[in-house]
Amino acid sequence: MPQAVPQGTPALSVRGLNFFYGKKQALFDITLDVPTGGVLALIGPSGSGKSTFLWTLNRMNDLVDGARVEGEVLWHGRNIYAPNVDVVKVRKKIGMVFQRPNPFPLSIYDNVAYGPRIHGIRDRARLDEIVERSLKAAALWDEVKDRLNASALALSGGQQQRLVIARVLAVDPEIILMDEPTSALDPSSTTRIEDLIDELRNAYTVVIVTHNMQQAARISDDTAFFLNGRLIEHAPTAELFQRPKRKETEDYISGRFG
């Protein structure tokens, strides 16, 4: 299970974050506390910086040529961008689910067991337990328990996305980052993923990027609105949607732009 965080302590504290692709600045002075537990939705029009911001939260942006970060992302009081930080550990505890399902071309079982094996678990009974627990937590066990040796690529898109979530859960994360996890799925699969997120909020901190404001309103506890690389407003979801404090937020929510 995730490591306990003292009540009231943010899961992540972002302080004065600036992000650059080469000479182009994409994020400007972002300061935001990610609450521990529950779901934080990041909304805003295309190009607003919300996915870029999400990627900074577990250093996934390290994989982008020319990327540069200024400021801090504090996790358990330490800046994840400080020298000598173990990036593998950061990404183990702050997992990522991408827009399109990306199962490995392996069996269902080996997809889920992949991370634990990388981190040194070899005992078959222990791996069996992790695979079953993770698939159950991802609401997929009942659909695949009789074909764990089948290729993960044979699953439907919605099942593949739940498998990817199981793969993240298998390495015992604290925080789960989701970059538009339902945008490539049909409505039925989207509902299954939303129901799953509703379950995950009880045990994990979830940060989700979504273009769908109705989805943000349905599933999130807090919402942050981004525009042109800046954090415009952050508030409890009901408050932000019903009583936005900034005109830019009101205009976006009401459909005047974006």
Side-chain angles (χ1 to χ4, degrees), residues 177-199:
L177 310 178
M178 296 185 167
D179 194 358
E180 297 192 65
T182 64
S183 64
L185 303 180
D186 60 67
S188 176
S189 296
T190 294
T191 298
R192 296 293 295 274
I193 297 292
E194 289 186 5
D195 289 345
L196 174 54
I197 292 169
D198 194 46
E199 292 290 324

Side-chain angles (χ1 to χ4, degrees), residues 4-240:
V5 176
Q7 191 168 11
T9 303
L12 294 166
S13 292
V14 181
R15 295 289 176 264
L17 186 76
N18 296 291
F19 180 81
F20 302 82
Y21 293 109
K23 294 182 179 179
K24 176 179 170 57
Q25 187 167 358
L27 295 175
F28 298 83
D29 195 29
I30 307 294
T31 292
L32 173 68
D33 283 339
V34 177
T36 297
V39 181
L40 169 65
L42 310 179
I43 65 170
S46 296
S48 62
K50 55 192 185 295
S51 288
T52 298
F53 174 72
L54 189 79
W55 281 45
T56 68
L57 300 181
N58 73 345
R59 292 187 53 167
M60 195 62 66
N61 50 281
D62 286 7
L63 307 175
V64 180
D65 288 342
R68 180 166 60 88
V69 170
E70 297 174 351
E72 296 182 321
V73 177
L74 300 173
W75 173 56
H76 292 288
R78 187 175 186 196
N79 180 18
I80 68 171
Y81 288 93
N84 303 319
V85 165
D86 185 344
V87 179
V88 173
K89 180 180 178 183
V90 169
R91 294 192 188 133
K92 177 176 182 280
K93 289 298 185 179
I94 308 174
M96 175 76 78
V97 176
F98 296 96
Q99 182 172 358
R100 292 192 174 276
N102 61 337
F104 302 139
L106 303 169
S107 70
I108 295 167
Y109 183 101
D110 287 338
N111 262 269
V112 183
Y114 185 88
R117 284 175 173 146
I118 288 291
H119 292 285
I121 297 175
R122 295 286 184 268
D123 179 72
R124 180 69 187 210
R126 177 81 179 114
L127 287 171
D128 287 351
E129 186 274 328
I130 291 171
V131 168
E132 180 173 347
R133 171 173 52 81
S134 302
L135 287 169
K136 283 180 175 177
L140 190 57
W141 173 253
D142 287 341
E143 296 167 48
V144 302
K145 62 184 178 183
D146 297 324
R147 50 182 176 132
L148 294 176
N149 292 322
S151 171
L153 302 181
L155 296 173
S156 70
Q159 289 174 322
Q160 287 185 10
Q161 194 67 301
R162 281 182 282 146
L163 178 66
V164 171
I165 293 170
R167 195 171 70 200
V168 169
L169 297 178
V171 294
D172 196 23
E174 297 174 15
I175 301 166
I176 303 171
L177 310 178
M178 296 185 167
D179 194 358
E180 297 192 65
T182 64
S183 64
L185 303 180
D186 60 67
S188 176
S189 296
T190 294
T191 298
R192 296 293 295 274
I193 297 292
E194 289 186 5
D195 289 345
L196 174 54
I197 292 169
D198 194 46
E199 292 290 324
L200 295 174
R201 70 171 4 112
N202 297 314
Y204 305 90
T205 297
V206 179
V207 185
I208 179 171
V209 168
T210 178
H211 271 107
N212 186 326
M213 284 187 285
Q214 289 78 21
Q215 182 176 73
R218 283 194 299 269
I219 68 172
S220 69
D221 303 285
D222 296 271
T223 298
F225 170 57
F226 283 74
L227 182 66
N228 298 326
R230 291 176 167 83
L231 174 62
I232 303 301
E233 189 167 347
H234 171 223
T237 296
E239 181 180 320
L240 186 135

